[in-house]
Amino acid sequence: MTDSDRVRAHVFVTGRVQGVYYRANTRDTADERGVAGWVRNLEDGRVEAVFEGPESAVESMVDWCHEGSPAASVTDVEVTYEEPTDEEDFRIRY
C-alpha cells in the first residue's frame, strides 16, 4: 500500500461512551478491519480515536462509531481528516 492509499480520521465521539466497553469494541473492530490507530477516554466523557489505513476501512470505522459498542448511546461523532502518520497497529491509550 502506498502512502496515497492511506487516510487518517481523527474522531471525537459524544454520548454514553465510557464504561460501556466502547474502547475495547473499537479496538476489536479496528483489528478485524485492518485499521491502525488508537482510542482513549477523555476527561469530559467523550472518546477520542484515530483510524488510519485504506480509505474504505477507515470510513467503515467512522460509520461504526455512530453505533459503537452494544451498550453505548452515541449522540455525536466529529471527524477531521489528517495526513497519515504511519500508525502500525491499533491500541487503547490510557
Side-chain angles (χ1 to χ4, degrees):
M1 175 183 314
T2 66
D3 287 343
S4 62
D5 296 333
R6 291 177 69 89
V7 298
R8 178 182 174 98
H10 193 162
V11 180
F12 292 91
V13 185
T14 304
R16 193 179 74 227
V17 292
Q18 292 190 15
V20 293
Y21 299 100
Y22 196 96
R23 292 175 301 161
N25 278 271
T26 302
R27 180 199 54 216
D28 294 347
T29 304
D31 284 345
E32 289 170 7
R33 297 179 184 182
V35 173
W38 50 265
V39 62
R40 68 178 172 186
N41 285 341
L42 297 176
E43 289 185 11
D44 64 6
R46 296 180 299 163
V47 166
E48 178 183 19
V50 165
F51 304 119
E52 189 171 311
E55 183 175 6
S56 61
V58 169
E59 288 303 319
S60 74
M61 286 304 304
V62 171
D63 290 344
W64 180 88
C65 284
H66 289 271
E67 297 296 322
S69 63
S73 178
V74 177
T75 58
D76 189 44
V77 178
E78 299 172 42
V79 185
T80 304
Y81 291 91
E82 303 169 343
E83 287 296 315
T85 61
D86 298 323
E87 298 280 350
E88 294 184 8
D89 57 3
F90 199 91
R91 62 205 176 281
I92 296 175
R93 284 189 173 176
Y94 295 95

